[in-house]
Amino acid sequence: MIKNTIRLLVIAVISMLFASTASASDTHYNDAVNVGKMLNERNASLENAVKSGDIKKIHTLYDDFTKYISKTEKAIGKVSRKTKRDKLMSAYVKPAKVTRERVIYEVSQYRLIHQMKGLYASGKIEQAKKDFAKLERLKKRSVEIKKKGGYKSLPSKIDKDLTKLTDRVKNTLFNGGTKRVSIEEAEFLILHDHIDSTEVEIKIIFFDEQLGAYRAKVGPKNERYGYWFVQVHPYTGIVGEVPIR
């Protein structure tokens, strides 16, 4: 009688352990799927930005997107059975990594250009020139990696915008700002100066003779209030705030 009771208790404990293990496995799998779906959503948003050729939008989405690649890989790593993990990786992580590889060098270039502009504005010219050499290496590396990996080419607008920004920085650093900024370029430089916000628009822009620079009223898109004034140097293209007068 006692032996039967012990046997039944052992069977019950083992059954509970198996049930607990299965439950934990299901939880890890569901967690991985949920995080993977969120990664897919971010991947779709980034791909839309790529299709539109909007390097600024790509930049603003990039960090959160790459964070979710890591989160998804970590969640998948907790799932039992390699076959399940492989399927989840193929469904969520691999497509996201392809998207990341397509734009990683362009994002790096965009951020380095902005960094150089900041260095120049703060008087650190030599450091900015060193970063320009780094930028040239990035561009060369980008071509090599994409050719080797067979990645789908990006819309030409991305390269054109990066080239415009690069040419202006190059002119400022190495040619002393001899090429005058047009009003169209001034608008372009203002919009790309606010690299962490895609919801900014120029309300009005003109050349202020007294100021000796372009002067623009900038603010949130489709809003009547909350705007501010900036100026653009007519030769260096440096953007700065202007006191309201």
Side-chain angles (χ1 to χ4, degrees):
M1 181 71 178
I2 295 175
K3 288 183 178 180
N4 287 337
T5 302
I6 293 173
R7 187 181 299 112
L8 290 172
L9 285 172
V10 170
I11 292 171
V13 169
I14 292 173
S15 298
M16 289 174 63
L17 287 172
F18 273 114
S20 177
T21 301
S23 177
S25 178
D26 289 343
T27 299
H28 290 321
Y29 182 84
N30 291 335
D31 287 346
V33 169
N34 289 333
V35 177
K37 287 180 179 178
M38 288 187 278
L39 174 59
N40 274 0
E41 290 173 1
R42 284 159 174 77
N43 191 26
S45 295
L46 186 58
E47 285 185 332
N48 286 335
V50 171
K51 288 176 184 176
S52 68
D54 191 342
I55 183 60
K56 182 178 178 181
K57 182 71 172 178
I58 293 168
H59 152 76
T60 59
L61 295 172
Y62 184 81
D63 287 341
D64 182 60
F65 168 70
T66 55
K67 181 180 75 175
Y68 265 83
I69 290 178
S70 297
K71 286 182 70 171
T72 305
E73 283 185 305
K74 186 176 180 180
I76 291 173
K78 295 178 181 179
V79 175
S80 61
R81 295 185 184 178
K82 185 177 183 300
T83 53
K84 286 186 177 181
R85 293 195 298 272
D86 288 346
K87 286 182 180 179
L88 290 168
M89 289 291 288
S90 295
Y92 303 116
V93 176
K94 288 183 179 179
K97 284 189 173 181
V98 170
T99 303
R100 182 177 65 182
E101 290 302 311
R102 286 184 69 201
V103 300
I104 185 171
Y105 285 98
E106 284 69 24
V107 171
S108 297
Q109 290 174 51
Y110 189 69
R111 293 177 177 182
L112 189 55
I113 289 167
H114 189 73
Q115 180 176 303
M116 285 188 288
K117 288 163 62 179
L119 288 169
Y120 179 87
S122 61
K124 298 177 181 178
I125 313 300
E126 292 306 313
Q127 182 58 52
K129 288 181 177 180
K130 289 179 182 178
D131 280 354
F132 192 87
K134 190 187 297 182
L135 177 66
E136 293 297 300
R137 292 194 297 271
L138 264 177
K139 291 167 68 176
K140 183 179 179 181
R141 184 63 174 159
S142 174
V143 173
E144 293 172 351
I145 291 294
K146 290 184 180 183
K147 185 177 180 180
K148 185 178 179 180
Y151 294 105
K152 184 179 177 182
S153 60
L154 297 172
S156 60
K157 183 178 184 299
I158 293 175
D159 183 63
K160 287 178 181 177
D161 284 353
L162 286 172
T163 299
K164 284 168 68 176
L165 291 167
T166 300
D167 287 348
R168 175 50 58 187
V169 170
K170 183 177 181 180
N171 177 69
T172 299
L173 289 177
F174 300 100
N175 300 329
T178 56
K179 182 182 177 183
R180 187 177 176 88
V181 177
S182 67
I183 194 166
E184 292 81 12
E185 186 182 5
E187 290 188 60
F188 174 80
L189 293 171
I190 290 169
L191 292 176
H192 283 281
D193 187 69
H194 298 83
I195 66 170
D196 292 322
S197 174
T198 57
E199 302 303 317
V200 172
E201 66 180 357
I202 298 170
K203 310 291 185 180
I204 188 172
I205 184 171
F206 60 95
F207 189 79
D208 189 322
E209 295 291 346
Q210 288 186 324
L211 191 64
Y214 291 104
R215 181 179 171 92
K217 179 180 175 182
V218 183
K221 285 183 179 179
N222 305 316
E223 295 289 341
R224 294 181 60 189
Y225 305 103
Y227 58 84
W228 60 94
F229 288 97
V230 299
Q231 68 179 25
V232 181
H233 192 283
Y235 289 99
T236 66
I238 296 299
V239 180
E241 292 188 3
V242 180
I244 298 177
R245 62 184 184 185

